[in-house]
Amino acid sequence: MLGALGHMVRSTALPVELWEAFGAGVYLVFGTINLALWFRRQDRMGHLWLAGSSAGALMVDITGMVVRRLELAAPPWIEALNGIGVAVATVCLFELVCSLGHKQAGRVARILQTFVLILAPIPGLLLPRLLPVLLLGCFVLLGWAMARAIRAA
């Protein structure tokens, strides 16, 4: 009985492309709303950082769809855009936490943000083995942002 139920669930599952398209729509709407809110209240930087993070996530989602569609024939610049999207989303989330906590990012954080943004296109274009370094830098920034958010709460 459970086997038949599992088959029925699998046969009605939506293709991954539809889930990705739904995610892209959510990022687009969320980013547009936050950008519009920031234009109305430019003193609230959190809206701008949320819009930037949504733009980065949208870039990751769209380039991921393209890479999956083209498989091995994906041009390197698509993968570079994917890395840039990851870095932009990460830096914007860090800045969002800073703006909500009413504290500026320090010198070390700015250096790490700059490093991640400069490194972002390199794994896709030139040196794929640098991808773990990029992801580690983003992981450190996100962990740091979480710690700052917990302290500010």
Side-chain angles (χ1 to χ4, degrees):
M1 179 71 177
L2 191 55
L5 179 63
H7 172 71
M8 189 169 62
V9 169
R10 277 191 300 274
S11 66
T12 60
L14 293 174
V16 69
E17 291 84 8
L18 291 178
W19 288 109
E20 290 172 331
F22 174 76
V26 169
Y27 296 138
L28 186 62
V29 168
F30 192 70
T32 303
I33 288 170
N34 277 287
L35 191 59
L37 288 171
W38 179 73
F39 276 124
R40 287 189 180 154
R41 295 283 312 264
Q42 292 186 9
D43 59 318
R44 295 189 179 182
M45 292 299 293
H47 294 300
L48 180 63
W49 296 121
L50 277 171
S53 183
S54 294
L58 179 63
M59 190 182 314
V60 170
D61 194 31
I62 290 173
T63 56
M65 286 190 286
V66 171
V67 167
R68 237 179 318 289
R69 172 77 64 184
L70 298 177
E71 294 178 4
L72 297 176
W77 62 270
I78 294 286
E79 293 185 18
L81 282 177
N82 190 279
I84 292 169
V86 169
V88 166
T90 302
V91 169
C92 286
L93 286 174
F94 188 91
E95 289 298 323
L96 169 68
V97 170
C98 291
S99 72
L100 294 177
H102 303 291
K103 285 190 173 184
Q104 294 285 328
R107 173 178 275 178
V108 175
R110 293 281 188 227
I111 291 170
L112 185 54
Q113 289 174 340
T114 304
F115 172 75
V116 165
L117 289 169
I118 290 171
L119 180 65
I122 294 174
L125 292 174
L126 302 171
L127 297 167
R129 64 179 170 262
L130 287 180
L131 181 62
V133 178
L134 171 64
L135 296 178
L136 179 64
C138 290
F139 179 76
V140 168
L141 278 172
L142 288 175
W144 195 349
M146 274 184 19
R148 286 183 78 139
I150 290 169
R151 272 183 284 159

Short mmCIF file of all heavy atoms in Angstrom, two decimals, residues 26-28 30-32 35 48-62 81 84-86 88-89 92:
data_model
loop_
_atom_site.label_atom_id
_atom_site.label_comp_id
_atom_site.label_asym_id
_atom_site.label_seq_id
_atom_site.Cartn_x
_atom_site.Cartn_y
_atom_site.Cartn_z
N VAL A 26 9.20 34.63 -6.90
CA VAL A 26 9.19 35.12 -5.51
C VAL A 26 10.32 36.13 -5.31
O VAL A 26 10.11 37.20 -4.73
CB VAL A 26 9.31 33.94 -4.51
CG1 VAL A 26 9.59 34.44 -3.10
CG2 VAL A 26 8.05 33.09 -4.54
N TYR A 27 11.53 35.80 -5.79
CA TYR A 27 12.66 36.74 -5.65
C TYR A 27 12.36 38.05 -6.38
O TYR A 27 12.68 39.12 -5.87
CB TYR A 27 13.94 36.13 -6.21
CG TYR A 27 14.43 34.92 -5.48
CD1 TYR A 27 14.92 33.82 -6.17
CD2 TYR A 27 14.42 34.85 -4.09
CE1 TYR A 27 15.38 32.69 -5.51
CE2 TYR A 27 14.87 33.73 -3.42
CZ TYR A 27 15.35 32.65 -4.14
OH TYR A 27 15.79 31.54 -3.48
N LEU A 28 11.77 37.95 -7.56
CA LEU A 28 11.48 39.15 -8.34
C LEU A 28 10.45 40.04 -7.64
O LEU A 28 10.65 41.25 -7.50
CB LEU A 28 10.98 38.76 -9.73
CG LEU A 28 10.75 39.89 -10.72
CD1 LEU A 28 12.04 40.64 -10.99
CD2 LEU A 28 10.18 39.35 -12.02
N PHE A 30 9.56 39.97 -4.38
CA PHE A 30 10.10 40.42 -3.10
C PHE A 30 11.10 41.56 -3.30
O PHE A 30 11.08 42.56 -2.58
CB PHE A 30 10.76 39.23 -2.38
CG PHE A 30 11.09 39.49 -0.95
CD1 PHE A 30 10.09 39.62 0.01
CD2 PHE A 30 12.41 39.60 -0.54
CE1 PHE A 30 10.40 39.86 1.33
CE2 PHE A 30 12.73 39.84 0.78
CZ PHE A 30 11.73 39.96 1.71
N GLY A 31 11.98 41.41 -4.29
CA GLY A 31 12.96 42.45 -4.57
C GLY A 31 12.32 43.73 -5.04
O GLY A 31 12.71 44.83 -4.63
N THR A 32 11.32 43.62 -5.90
CA THR A 32 10.64 44.81 -6.42
C THR A 32 9.91 45.55 -5.31
O THR A 32 9.98 46.78 -5.22
CB THR A 32 9.65 44.40 -7.53
OG1 THR A 32 10.37 43.71 -8.56
CG2 THR A 32 8.96 45.60 -8.12
N LEU A 35 12.50 47.27 -3.09
CA LEU A 35 13.09 48.43 -3.77
C LEU A 35 12.11 49.60 -3.78
O LEU A 35 12.50 50.75 -3.53
CB LEU A 35 13.50 48.05 -5.20
CG LEU A 35 14.36 49.07 -5.93
CD1 LEU A 35 15.66 49.34 -5.19
CD2 LEU A 35 14.64 48.57 -7.34
N LEU A 48 16.68 48.32 0.92
CA LEU A 48 17.62 48.26 -0.21
C LEU A 48 18.45 46.98 -0.15
O LEU A 48 18.65 46.33 -1.18
CB LEU A 48 18.54 49.49 -0.18
CG LEU A 48 19.57 49.55 -1.31
CD1 LEU A 48 18.87 49.65 -2.67
CD2 LEU A 48 20.51 50.71 -1.10
N TRP A 49 18.89 46.60 1.05
CA TRP A 49 19.70 45.39 1.18
C TRP A 49 18.87 44.14 0.89
O TRP A 49 19.38 43.18 0.30
CB TRP A 49 20.36 45.32 2.54
CG TRP A 49 21.34 46.43 2.75
CD1 TRP A 49 21.31 47.37 3.73
CD2 TRP A 49 22.48 46.72 1.94
NE1 TRP A 49 22.36 48.24 3.58
CE2 TRP A 49 23.11 47.86 2.48
CE3 TRP A 49 23.04 46.14 0.80
CZ2 TRP A 49 24.25 48.42 1.95
CZ3 TRP A 49 24.19 46.71 0.26
CH2 TRP A 49 24.78 47.82 0.83
N LEU A 50 17.59 44.15 1.27
CA LEU A 50 16.73 43.01 0.93
C LEU A 50 16.50 42.93 -0.59
O LEU A 50 16.48 41.84 -1.16
CB LEU A 50 15.38 43.12 1.65
CG LEU A 50 15.37 42.59 3.08
CD1 LEU A 50 14.06 42.96 3.76
CD2 LEU A 50 15.58 41.10 3.11
N ALA A 51 16.35 44.08 -1.23
CA ALA A 51 16.18 44.08 -2.68
C ALA A 51 17.45 43.57 -3.35
O ALA A 51 17.39 42.79 -4.31
CB ALA A 51 15.85 45.50 -3.17
N GLY A 52 18.61 44.00 -2.87
CA GLY A 52 19.87 43.52 -3.43
C GLY A 52 20.07 42.03 -3.23
O GLY A 52 20.54 41.32 -4.12
N SER A 53 19.71 41.55 -2.05
CA SER A 53 19.81 40.12 -1.79
C SER A 53 18.87 39.32 -2.68
O SER A 53 19.23 38.25 -3.18
CB SER A 53 19.50 39.84 -0.31
OG SER A 53 19.67 38.49 -0.03
N SER A 54 17.69 39.84 -2.90
CA SER A 54 16.74 39.19 -3.80
C SER A 54 17.27 39.17 -5.23
O SER A 54 17.12 38.17 -5.94
CB SER A 54 15.38 39.90 -3.78
OG SER A 54 14.78 39.76 -2.52
N ALA A 55 17.91 40.26 -5.65
CA ALA A 55 18.50 40.31 -6.99
C ALA A 55 19.61 39.26 -7.13
O ALA A 55 19.70 38.58 -8.15
CB ALA A 55 19.03 41.70 -7.29
N GLY A 56 20.44 39.14 -6.10
CA GLY A 56 21.50 38.12 -6.13
C GLY A 56 20.93 36.72 -6.17
O GLY A 56 21.39 35.87 -6.94
N ALA A 57 19.91 36.46 -5.36
CA ALA A 57 19.27 35.14 -5.35
C ALA A 57 18.59 34.85 -6.69
O ALA A 57 18.62 33.72 -7.19
CB ALA A 57 18.27 35.05 -4.20
N LEU A 58 17.98 35.87 -7.28
CA LEU A 58 17.37 35.71 -8.59
C LEU A 58 18.42 35.36 -9.64
O LEU A 58 18.21 34.48 -10.49
CB LEU A 58 16.62 36.99 -8.99
CG LEU A 58 15.93 37.00 -10.34
CD1 LEU A 58 14.82 35.94 -10.40
CD2 LEU A 58 15.35 38.38 -10.63
N MET A 59 19.57 36.01 -9.56
CA MET A 59 20.65 35.73 -10.50
C MET A 59 21.14 34.28 -10.33
O MET A 59 21.37 33.58 -11.32
CB MET A 59 21.81 36.70 -10.28
CG MET A 59 22.87 36.63 -11.36
SD MET A 59 24.30 37.71 -11.10
CE MET A 59 23.58 39.26 -10.66
N VAL A 60 21.27 33.82 -9.10
CA VAL A 60 21.68 32.44 -8.84
C VAL A 60 20.64 31.47 -9.39
O VAL A 60 20.98 30.47 -10.03
CB VAL A 60 21.90 32.21 -7.33
CG1 VAL A 60 22.09 30.73 -7.02
CG2 VAL A 60 23.09 33.00 -6.84
N ASP A 61 19.37 31.78 -9.17
CA ASP A 61 18.29 30.91 -9.63
C ASP A 61 18.26 30.81 -11.16
O ASP A 61 18.21 29.72 -11.73
CB ASP A 61 16.96 31.42 -9.09
CG ASP A 61 15.84 30.42 -9.22
OD1 ASP A 61 16.11 29.20 -9.16
OD2 ASP A 61 14.68 30.84 -9.39
N ILE A 62 18.31 31.94 -11.82
CA ILE A 62 18.23 31.95 -13.29
C ILE A 62 19.46 31.30 -13.91
O ILE A 62 19.35 30.48 -14.83
CB ILE A 62 18.01 33.37 -13.82
CG1 ILE A 62 16.59 33.83 -13.45
CG2 ILE A 62 18.22 33.44 -15.32
CD1 ILE A 62 16.30 35.27 -13.76
N LEU A 81 28.44 34.48 -13.55
CA LEU A 81 27.28 35.24 -13.06
C LEU A 81 26.66 34.55 -11.85
O LEU A 81 26.19 35.22 -10.92
CB LEU A 81 26.23 35.39 -14.16
CG LEU A 81 26.49 36.44 -15.22
CD1 LEU A 81 25.40 36.41 -16.29
CD2 LEU A 81 26.57 37.82 -14.60
N ILE A 84 28.77 35.48 -8.93
CA ILE A 84 28.51 36.88 -8.58
C ILE A 84 27.19 36.99 -7.81
O ILE A 84 27.09 37.73 -6.83
CB ILE A 84 28.51 37.77 -9.84
CG1 ILE A 84 29.93 37.84 -10.42
CG2 ILE A 84 27.97 39.16 -9.53
CD1 ILE A 84 30.00 38.47 -11.79
N GLY A 85 26.17 36.25 -8.25
CA GLY A 85 24.89 36.26 -7.56
C GLY A 85 25.01 35.77 -6.13
O GLY A 85 24.42 36.35 -5.20
N VAL A 86 25.78 34.71 -5.92
CA VAL A 86 26.00 34.20 -4.56
C VAL A 86 26.67 35.26 -3.69
O VAL A 86 26.26 35.51 -2.56
CB VAL A 86 26.86 32.90 -4.60
CG1 VAL A 86 27.32 32.50 -3.22
CG2 VAL A 86 26.08 31.77 -5.26
N VAL A 88 26.81 38.60 -4.16
CA VAL A 88 25.94 39.76 -3.96
C VAL A 88 24.89 39.46 -2.89
O VAL A 88 24.65 40.28 -1.99
CB VAL A 88 25.29 40.20 -5.29
CG1 VAL A 88 24.14 41.16 -5.06
CG2 VAL A 88 26.33 40.82 -6.20
N ALA A 89 24.25 38.31 -2.99
CA ALA A 89 23.23 37.95 -2.00
C ALA A 89 23.83 37.87 -0.60
O ALA A 89 23.24 38.36 0.37
CB ALA A 89 22.57 36.62 -2.38
N CYS A 92 24.81 41.44 0.68
CA CYS A 92 23.58 42.20 0.99
C CYS A 92 22.93 41.70 2.27
O CYS A 92 22.41 42.51 3.06
CB CYS A 92 22.61 42.13 -0.18
SG CYS A 92 23.11 43.14 -1.58
#
